Amino acid sequence: MICVISKKLIDLGVLVLRQHNSRRNFKPHISIRFRDNYGDLRMFSIDTTRTMAKHSCPDAYLITHAHSDHHGKSAMISSNSVCSEKTAIALEIRYDRRYAGSIFRLGDEIDVGKVKVKTFPTEHTSGATAFYWENDVGTRILVTGDIKDAGKLPPCDVLITEANYGDPEDPSCHFVDDFEGMKYALFKHEPVAFGAYEFGKAQRAVKLIREFGYDGAIHMDARTKTLTQRMLEDAGDLEGLSSGENDGVFIVAPWNLGRLPLDMKKYVLSCRMDYPYPIIKISDHLDACGLENMVRKLNPEVTLIYHPGGYRPSKFSKHLNSIGIDSISIDQIGNVLSNEFI
Ligand SMILES: [Zn+2]
């Protein structure tokens, strides 16, 4: 069964689907069905796990970036997966398996089947990509993944985007990066430790620390160090976490801060408030106002909010509708089993 929830999308020649897994739960994220310029039906799955072999596969698994909640770990072993060079490298380092799909240099236009797809940076992580293509009736479709900077994204007719901080009524969804706070913490204390996820935030932290003028050693665990060396050109002196080392700057996952010496000053780089350490607000996302400004600027006819799980896609979608911007959220989208496609 296909449940049509947006006449406007149908008029634009775009069908948005969710698929079931073997236990008939929804698979994560969505698939987009459309006709290409030759009139052939195509399906791109966005940040989804792989489809079971007995069902028809999508023409492409578009992987926006290498965070685990975008499911590259599953899609990366399909030859139909498509992601940036840096995303492929990050996936291989993080999951210790070979990336089997096709890659592109971020910013390139690529052929996915017979569809010309343009790629744009979103600055959420190294390699994070927005995908843009047109269908047979000229509808401009843009999939952003997670976004830190929408400045390079093109206008579109169908916008498929995130709402990690998309609840305008939640005070934690409004923030500005506290660069001064981080700079102060960096130079006030030595040693100092920053809690940051190994992929994305850790590389942002290194980049900022170097921009602030610190050129000493930055200590991190082996995998974070490898990721940072491969993602950044000018990471400077990166060292491991050898026992007894107690000088300089440390970057570890927030839950590993407790393993560092008791007398070391510790912070978490986050906009979440549920850590037992002082927070310095440094985010890899747009906040609620940033997301709304992006939608206004890209000026789509329909905005589809597909990420993350939970209630924020619905909250952001309802907010957009309340200010006159046509929007739907992933929880409103109907479903279809892969072998039931028309
Ligand atoms: Zn992400």
Side-chain angles (χ1 to χ4, degrees):
M1 184 190 77
I2 295 174
C3 176
V4 177
I5 47 85
S6 169
K7 183 175 179 303
K8 206 179 240 185
L9 273 180
I10 299 300
D11 290 345
L12 289 164
V14 175
L15 189 60
V16 183
L17 311 169
R18 297 177 79 186
Q19 292 178 268
H20 281 134
N21 63 20
S22 55
R23 281 169 292 185
R24 298 188 71 84
N25 296 320
F26 278 128
K27 281 158 63 71
H29 297 149
I30 54 164
S31 298
I32 313 293
R33 196 131 160 98
F34 61 97
R35 285 188 192 278
D36 66 20
N37 279 337
Y38 302 87
D40 293 325
L41 276 172
R42 298 284 167 204
M43 187 167 76
F44 289 171
S45 288
I46 314 296
D47 288 334
T48 70
T49 51
R50 287 190 325 282
T51 303
M52 288 174 290
K54 63 181 177 178
H55 297 313
S56 56
C57 263
D59 296 280
Y61 295 102
L62 304 183
I63 306 172
T64 60
H65 64 290
H67 276 151
S68 58
D69 55 350
H70 293 257
H71 307 287
K73 181 183 179 183
S74 167
M76 69 184 286
I77 62 170
S78 166
S79 58
N80 287 0
S81 58
V82 179
C83 74
S84 68
E85 290 171 334
K86 283 197 170 167
T87 296
I89 293 169
L91 289 169
E92 290 193 337
I93 295 170
R94 298 197 73 196
Y95 301 119
D96 198 22
R97 55 200 330 196
R98 199 176 71 81
Y99 176 78
S102 46
I103 56 172
F104 55 84
R105 194 179 291 259
L106 194 46
D108 283 357
E109 179 175 287
I110 52 172
D111 291 324
V112 180
K114 292 176 184 165
V115 185
K116 299 258 180 237
V117 176
K118 291 181 179 168
T119 65
F120 299 89
T122 70
E123 311 298 348
H124 168 65
T125 64
S126 295
T129 304
F131 297 93
Y132 170 100
W133 70 94
E134 295 183 15
N135 68 4
D136 61 332
V137 292
T139 298
R140 302 165 300 169
I141 301 161
L142 178 68
V143 175
T144 67
D146 292 347
I147 323 136
K148 176 63 176 173
D149 182 351
K152 295 201 171 76
L153 302 185
C156 59
D157 302 306
V158 176
L159 173 64
I160 299 164
T161 193
E162 58 118 337
N164 276 280
Y165 293 93
D167 180 359
E169 289 168 13
D170 183 339
S172 72
C173 289
H174 297 272
F175 50 78
V176 286
D177 285 327
D178 184 9
F179 298 128
E180 284 307 311
M182 186 173 169
K183 197 171 173 181
Y184 180 80
L186 175 68
F187 291 112
K188 173 119 170 53
H189 315 284
E190 179 153 357
V192 61
F194 296 107
Y197 295 128
E198 69 168 21
F199 178 64
K201 190 62 67 68
Q203 290 76 50
R204 187 178 301 281
V206 170
K207 201 158 171 278
L208 287 170
I209 287 167
R210 296 309 184 206
E211 283 170 9
F212 295 152
Y214 177 84
D215 58 6
I218 300 176
H219 301 270
M220 39 184 44
D221 69 45
R223 200 166 65 180
T224 310
K225 185 177 151 196
T226 305
L227 276 166
T228 306
Q229 285 168 331
R230 297 297 300 277
M231 294 296 117
L232 298 184
E233 269 86 60
D234 305 311
D237 180 13
L238 302 182
E239 304 283 345
L241 288 177
S242 55
S243 56
E245 187 67 70
N246 200 8
D247 284 325
V249 174
F250 290 71
I251 297 175
V252 299
W255 49 88
N256 286 335
L257 283 169
R259 295 183 182 181
L260 295 173
L262 270 179
D263 57 351
M264 191 182 286
K265 190 71 186 164
K266 303 176 180 91
Y267 299 89
V268 177
L269 304 178
S270 178
C271 288
R272 284 174 46 176
M273 306 307 282
D274 51 348
Y275 291 109
Y277 300 98
I279 294 293
I280 298 173
K281 287 191 176 181
I282 298 287
S283 179
D284 297 322
H285 290 273
L286 292 173
D287 74 348
C289 293
L291 287 167
E292 181 183 324
N293 290 340
M294 171 189 72
V295 176
R296 288 185 188 280
K297 186 176 139 257
L298 301 179
N299 198 24
E301 292 201 35
V302 185
T303 300
L304 167 62
I305 316 296
Y306 83 110
H307 178 78
Y311 64 90
R312 281 192 174 157
S314 163
K315 290 266 189 181
F316 186 49
S317 182
K318 283 181 182 148
H319 170 69
L320 290 177
N321 282 313
S322 77
I323 57 172
I325 297 172
D326 199 347
S327 172
I328 54 179
S329 52
I330 187 165
D331 52 293
Q332 297 175 283
I333 294 167
N335 63 83
V336 61
L337 285 173
S338 311
N339 57 353
E340 290 174 351
F341 287 144
I342 315 168

